[in-house]
Amino acid sequence: MNLTTVVVLASIAVYSWKLIGYLVPQNVLKHPGVSRTAGLLTVALLAALLAVQGFTSGKNVEFDERVPALVVAGLLLSFRTPFIVVVLTAAAVTAALRYLN
Amino acid sequence: MASAASVKSMSIGVGIATGLYGISFGALSVASGFDLLQTQLLSLLMFSGGSQFAFIGVFATGGMSAIGTAVASAWLLGIRNGFYAVRMAPVLDVAKGWRLVAAQLTIDESTGVSTAQSELPEQRSGFWITGISVFVFWNLATLLGALVGASLGDPKVLGLDAAAAAAFLGLLWPRLSQSQSLVVAVGSMIVACALTPWLPPGMPILLAGVVAVVVGAFNIFKPKEVAA
């Protein structure tokens, strides 16, 4: 299957949740355990993506120039810095450290 | 309290602010191996930041062999939009055809602005104006980012891998206000790192989701409550 087809199929899959929410009876997803778990699932997946993107290279766990960048990013986020500034600063910190090494 | 005009300016402000980081999505998507069309399709059709970053991030680590887990990660991150839709359905109360449009615009920001309003007319206009402005700015910024990204050099030299990690941190940050979510975040990071040497790319991320299911289902580490 080519990549463009997968992009479209994946998009339909993500859209399906949005549509399901408008079509199911109101009480189905109101169960507190279900909505709590769904909220935590978002947290878990984002945290795992952060860990893999930030602390692994291939099959190895690696703490390199990305770590200080993430510390700086965390500091900026705690001062409510706009997202785009946080992302660009993280790239700049890592690029600078790699250049110096 | 919030007038129609202030809802409008708030909605457009959120649209511009959110849209802007579409630049980072566009650039990272191209750096991950997607072409301009595929990158733009993700913003037009998938239109959910977390899912889009997850999809390109997992693909970047494993290529076509990780495509299944890339789709699954994006899909699972989209679950929360379904819960937003449940909350928005009675507020919007639109006819069937418009539900298809409303569904596509049901994301963190449109739901966030809408639920912050106290009166029904502002709740509705907040949803629509925010949804439409995020959609427009996010897609324009994606195009810009993809064009810039295509002309950039080696992603690692530029620190784009750190930028992608910082993007996930930025998406995660506002969700860490409770001790329970903090525990889940730390637990999932440990699980994902611990499993990376042993499993194909993408799988550690999906399995980290188990942490959320366990903590959520048994409601452990819940915030302290006053006894009733």
Side-chain angles (χ1 to χ4, degrees):
Chain A
M1 202 186 304
N2 82 35
L3 189 53
T4 308
T5 314
V6 180
V7 163
V8 173
L9 292 177
S11 300
I12 293 170
V14 171
Y15 180 73
S16 72
W17 291 119
K18 298 175 174 177
L19 196 58
I20 287 169
Y22 283 93
L23 301 180
V24 297
Q26 284 298 303
N27 52 9
V28 173
L29 294 176
K30 284 244 170 91
H31 187 276
V34 175
S35 58
R36 177 176 59 237
T37 306
L40 291 174
L41 185 61
T42 302
V43 169
L45 294 173
L46 288 173
L49 284 157
L50 161 63
V52 168
Q53 190 72 53
F55 311 128
T56 71
S57 293
K59 288 211 168 273
N60 302 314
V61 175
E62 228 172 73
F63 299 102
D64 59 16
E65 296 89 350
R66 291 168 290 180
V67 179
L70 285 170
V71 172
V72 173
L75 278 173
L76 290 175
L77 285 165
S78 67
F79 292 113
R80 308 177 69 91
T81 312
F83 190 98
I84 184 78
V85 178
V86 173
V87 170
L88 289 176
T89 308
V93 169
T94 299
L97 290 174
R98 281 186 184 145
Y99 180 76
L100 294 172
N101 286 346
Chain B
M1 192 189 84
S3 66
S6 79
V7 171
K8 198 174 166 186
S9 68
M10 180 189 192
S11 302
I12 295 175
V14 169
I16 294 173
T18 310
L20 268 181
Y21 78 80
I23 295 177
S24 50
F25 172 75
L28 288 172
S29 177
V30 170
S32 307
F34 293 91
D35 65 24
L36 191 72
L37 173 70
Q38 291 156 350
T39 300
Q40 197 67 55
L41 281 177
L42 283 169
S43 282
L44 287 168
L45 302 178
M46 191 175 279
F47 187 55
S48 191
S51 296
Q52 290 179 234
F53 276 109
F55 187 69
I56 63 162
V58 175
F59 182 80
T61 62
M64 273 318 249
S65 66
I67 199 73
T69 43
V71 175
S73 314
W75 183 61
L76 288 174
L77 268 171
I79 287 185
R80 69 183 192 289
N81 294 325
F83 286 85
Y84 296 154
V86 170
R87 204 182 309 170
M88 292 314 302
V91 173
L92 299 177
D93 193 27
V94 287
K96 276 218 172 90
W98 282 102
R99 269 188 221 164
L100 299 174
V101 181
Q104 181 66 337
L105 298 177
T106 303
I107 52 169
D108 297 326
E109 292 79 14
S110 53
T111 308
V113 170
S114 174
T115 52
Q117 312 305 319
S118 49
E119 305 294 327
L120 191 59
E122 280 80 32
Q123 288 174 355
R124 286 182 180 164
S125 63
F127 173 87
W128 287 107
I129 303 173
T130 307
I132 292 167
S133 28
V134 172
F135 187 84
V136 169
F137 290 114
W138 177 255
N139 274 285
L140 288 174
T142 296
L143 179 61
L144 185 64
L147 292 171
V148 171
S151 64
L152 292 175
D154 182 352
K156 261 198 123 172
V157 171
L158 295 166
L160 288 186
D161 49 346
F168 287 121
L169 183 63
L171 292 168
L172 183 62
W173 199 265
R175 299 172 207 279
L176 292 181
S177 51
Q178 288 177 351
S179 57
Q180 200 172 35
S181 21
L182 206 57
V183 169
V184 167
V186 173
S188 321
M189 289 175 75
I190 294 171
V191 169
C193 283
L195 294 179
T196 292
W198 315 105
L199 296 173
M203 283 307 289
I205 292 161
L206 295 183
L207 284 172
V210 175
V211 176
V213 175
V214 171
V215 173
F218 297 103
N219 202 16
I220 41 182
F221 304 109
K222 65 181 168 193
K224 283 197 187 103
E225 282 171 43
V226 182

